[in-house]
């Protein structure tokens, strides 16, 4: 096992350990969870009609159904280019990963916040939107990183990836579809999954 591989595994484990801490805090109803959520909500305030409209559009970009379709197109494109190993990798990291999210959701059974600004059902923890968009954007990063040779291009790609993920997370909290701990947990779960999966280099 190379040092690079060990670093990936350590990073993935670290993300999942923090995720586990949030999971335990949510399940046991810890006070710091409520405080974290209160601060997170405060950051998204105030509620404005224009902001609600804009963030409703942004949150759609992270919809797991939308991401599933985009992932399918990406897989088919890679198959068309005869990059079969990459196609399998892309499909597995997104689709198998989301099964993990569903399993956790129906184990924790956390009820969504009240006073929601969008009509949404299901359970709250962790955020499926956050997980799906994080995995998809990190996959794009993995695929394009070797192609981009100039430093400024790579910086721009990283900024774009971080910005899209952050905006979707913000939208889920602002629209009261999730608690801040939900989106944070969704991000950590995705990062851990991505680090573990990148051990199998594409």
């Amino acid at each position: 096992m190379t040092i690079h591989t060990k670093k990936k595994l350590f990073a993935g484990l670290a993300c999942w350990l923090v995720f586990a801490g949030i999971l335990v805090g949510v399940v046991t109803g810890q006070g710091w969870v409520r405080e974290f959520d209160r601060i997170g909500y405060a950051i998204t305030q105030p509620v404005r009609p224009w902001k609600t409209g804009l963030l409703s559009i942004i949150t759609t970009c992270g919809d797991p159904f939308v991401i599933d379709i985009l992932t399918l197109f990406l897989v088919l494109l890679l198959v068309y280019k005869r990059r079969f190993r990459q196609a399998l990798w892309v499909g597995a990291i997104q689709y198998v990963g989301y099964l993990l999210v569903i399993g956790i959701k129906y184990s924790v059974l956390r009820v969504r916040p009240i006073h929601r600004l969008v009509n949404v059902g299901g359970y709250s923890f962790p955020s499926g939107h956050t997980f799906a968009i994080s995995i998809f954007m990190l996959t794009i990063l993995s695929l394009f990183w070797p192609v981009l040779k100039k430093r400024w291009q790579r910086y721009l790609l990283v900024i774009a990836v971080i910005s899209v993920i952050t905006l979707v997370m913000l939208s889920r909290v602002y629209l009261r579809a999730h608690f801040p701990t939900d989106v944070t947990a969704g991000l950590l779960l995705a990062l851990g999954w991505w680090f573990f999966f990148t051990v199998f280099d594409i």
Side-chain angles (χ1 to χ4, degrees):
M1 184 180 295
T2 65
I3 294 177
H4 189 56
T5 298
K6 288 181 179 179
K7 287 181 178 179
K8 288 181 179 180
L9 292 175
F10 178 79
L13 180 60
C15 289
W16 277 6
L17 283 175
V18 179
F19 168 82
I22 297 176
L23 172 62
V24 171
V26 168
V27 171
T28 58
Q30 296 296 311
W32 65 265
V33 171
R34 291 189 293 273
E35 183 63 15
F36 186 95
D37 289 337
R38 185 191 67 78
I39 294 173
Y41 279 137
I43 293 173
T44 67
Q45 295 302 298
V47 174
R48 294 285 186 268
W50 67 267
K51 193 195 299 188
T52 302
L54 177 61
L55 291 180
S56 294
I57 295 173
I58 291 174
T59 206
T60 303
C61 297
D63 190 306
F65 179 73
V66 173
I67 298 301
D68 283 348
I69 294 176
L70 293 175
T71 300
L72 179 60
F73 279 130
L74 184 56
V75 168
L76 293 176
L77 177 62
L78 291 170
V79 169
Y80 175 76
K81 292 181 175 293
R82 296 185 176 278
R83 294 159 65 176
F84 300 115
R85 187 167 181 268
Q86 287 184 321
L88 179 61
W89 188 92
V90 169
I93 194 173
Q94 185 67 253
Y95 297 132
V96 176
Y98 200 72
L99 292 177
L100 179 63
V101 175
I102 295 175
I104 297 172
K105 275 182 177 288
Y106 283 88
S107 297
V108 177
L109 302 178
R110 190 183 196 187
V111 179
R112 292 186 186 272
I114 59 175
H115 306 306
R116 293 187 290 276
L117 300 180
V118 289
N119 184 24
V120 58
Y123 295 106
S124 191
F125 184 93
S127 169
H129 279 63
T130 301
F131 182 91
I133 193 65
S134 297
I135 291 296
F136 183 77
M137 294 306 297
L138 289 170
T139 299
I140 295 298
L141 180 66
S142 296
L143 292 173
F144 280 91
W145 187 266
V147 180
L148 303 177
K149 302 303 181 183
K150 295 183 179 180
R151 183 175 298 179
W152 70 267
Q153 293 175 327
R154 290 184 167 183
Y155 283 156
L156 191 61
L157 178 61
V158 170
I159 291 172
V161 168
I162 294 174
S163 297
V164 171
I165 294 173
T166 301
L167 284 172
V168 171
M169 291 175 66
L170 178 66
S171 73
R172 301 307 286 167
V173 175
Y174 171 84
L175 295 170
R176 296 296 189 272
H178 283 289
F179 297 98
T181 40
D182 296 333
V183 297
T184 303
L187 176 62
L188 289 167
L189 186 65
L191 286 173
W193 182 247
W194 185 72
F195 276 124
F196 284 130
F197 239 76
T198 50
V199 169
F200 309 97
D201 292 322
I202 60 174

